[in-house]
């Protein structure tokens, strides 16, 4: 069976399932690019920033952060370092507040992913019911010769195909949605770890009375 015939045999629910599949692929590509950019660059950039800051090269560290503003953790660090004469407590609150502000970006499209995962099997089930209804309507009980064989087989084909399509779309989307969720949890742990290191360095410089770093944007 060709792909076109397979799609046509899915019946009316094949169209919303096709829309969901295209939407899911688009969201997966966007999220994939987003997480690849973070995973491929963040560790190196943050390690360099912390090294510069530890060496009391605050201006260079801030410049490095500004060069990588597309990374959420760099924006978080800059929010805290931009405070003037902040106490360690204020600095920690700034880090936490900036982190909370970035969380929606990490969880972007989660609702759409969950909608596709939940609705696709239901659409498949709807297609199954419609297909079975078509098959039963083509049956002529007690008169085998009067039964519309094409209608029966067409209804059964629609029932099976729509079920398969709904499950495939849901499973495919679920795999990637769970992967992105794991990336989010790991990223949150990384932000807490790196933020804790920056906070300790800030506290150390603050207690020594050195330039701990506040800078204007």
């Amino acid at each position: 069976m060709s792909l076109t015939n397979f799609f046509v045999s899915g019946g009316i629910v094949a169209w919303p399932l096709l829309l969901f599949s295209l939407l899911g692929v688009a969201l997966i590509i966007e999220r994939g690019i987003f997480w690849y950019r973070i995973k491929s660059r963040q560790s190196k950039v943050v390690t360099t920033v912390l090294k510069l800051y530890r060496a009391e090269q605050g201006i260079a560290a801030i410049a490095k952060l500004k060069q990588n503003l597309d990374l959420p953790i760099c924006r978080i660090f800059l929010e805290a370092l931009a405070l003037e004469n902040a106490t360690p407590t204020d600095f920690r609150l700034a880090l936490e507040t900036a982190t909370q502000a970035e969380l929606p970006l990490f969880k972007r499209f989660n609702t759409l992913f969950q909608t596709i995962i939940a609705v696709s099997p239901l659409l498949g089930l709807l297609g199954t019911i419609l297909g079975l209804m078509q098959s039963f309507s083509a049956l002529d009980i007690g008169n085998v010769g009067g039964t519309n064989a094409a209608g029966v087989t067409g209804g059964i084909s629609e029932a099976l195909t729509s079920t398969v399509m709904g499950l495939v779309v849901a499973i495919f989307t679920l795999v990637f949605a769970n992967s992105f969720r794991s990336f989010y949890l790991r990223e949150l742990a990384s932000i807490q770890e790196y933020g804790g290191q920056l906070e300790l360095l800030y506290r150390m410089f603050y207690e020594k009375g050195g330039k701990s770093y506040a800078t204007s944007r």
Side-chain angles (χ1 to χ4, degrees), residues 86-108:
T87 64
T89 299
D90 293 336
F91 189 83
R92 183 179 70 255
L93 289 174
L95 284 175
E96 293 175 352
T97 302
T99 300
Q100 291 297 319
E102 296 290 342
L103 290 184
L105 182 62
F106 296 136
K107 296 188 289 186
R108 190 180 183 187

Side-chain angles (χ1 to χ4, degrees), residues 68-98:
N68 296 276
L69 281 178
D70 58 322
L71 296 178
I73 197 168
C74 291
R75 297 194 293 269
I76 291 171
F77 280 12
L78 278 176
E79 285 289 339
L81 292 172
L83 295 177
E84 294 290 343
N85 302 317
T87 64
T89 299
D90 293 336
F91 189 83
R92 183 179 70 255
L93 289 174
L95 284 175
E96 293 175 352
T97 302

Side-chain angles (χ1 to χ4, degrees), residues 149-161:
V152 173
T153 56
I156 294 175
S157 176
E158 178 179 340
L160 296 177
T161 302

Side-chain angles (χ1 to χ4, degrees), residues 52-216:
L52 290 171
Y53 193 76
R54 187 178 293 109
E56 300 188 27
Q57 300 180 39
I59 297 298
I62 291 169
K64 185 70 174 178
L65 291 172
K66 290 182 177 179
Q67 291 171 5
N68 296 276
L69 281 178
D70 58 322
L71 296 178
I73 197 168
C74 291
R75 297 194 293 269
I76 291 171
F77 280 12
L78 278 176
E79 285 289 339
L81 292 172
L83 295 177
E84 294 290 343
N85 302 317
T87 64
T89 299
D90 293 336
F91 189 83
R92 183 179 70 255
L93 289 174
L95 284 175
E96 293 175 352
T97 302
T99 300
Q100 291 297 319
E102 296 290 342
L103 290 184
L105 182 62
F106 296 136
K107 296 188 289 186
R108 190 180 183 187
F109 301 133
N110 275 12
T111 301
L112 282 175
F113 277 124
Q114 295 304 317
T115 300
I116 293 173
I117 293 168
V119 175
S120 294
L122 295 178
L123 285 173
L125 178 60
L126 176 61
T128 301
I129 296 172
L130 293 176
L132 292 177
M133 290 174 62
Q134 177 182 332
S135 295
F136 286 131
S137 65
L139 288 174
D140 188 356
I141 305 300
N143 183 10
V144 178
T147 297
N148 183 354
V152 173
T153 56
I156 294 175
S157 176
E158 178 179 340
L160 296 177
T161 302
S162 59
T163 301
V164 170
M165 292 176 66
L167 290 175
V168 168
V169 172
I171 292 171
F172 178 79
T173 307
L174 178 62
V175 169
F176 283 95
N178 283 345
S179 298
F180 296 144
R181 174 172 170 77
S182 69
F183 292 161
Y184 158 72
L185 295 175
R186 292 176 189 174
E187 177 64 16
L188 192 58
S190 295
I191 290 175
Q192 292 173 345
E193 177 185 355
Y194 290 132
Q197 295 179 29
L198 182 65
E199 183 184 347
L200 288 174
L201 291 173
Y202 185 91
R203 183 181 295 273
M204 180 181 68
F205 291 139
Y206 182 86
E207 291 176 351
K208 288 169 56 178
K211 185 68 175 175
S212 29
Y213 253 93
T215 180
S216 63

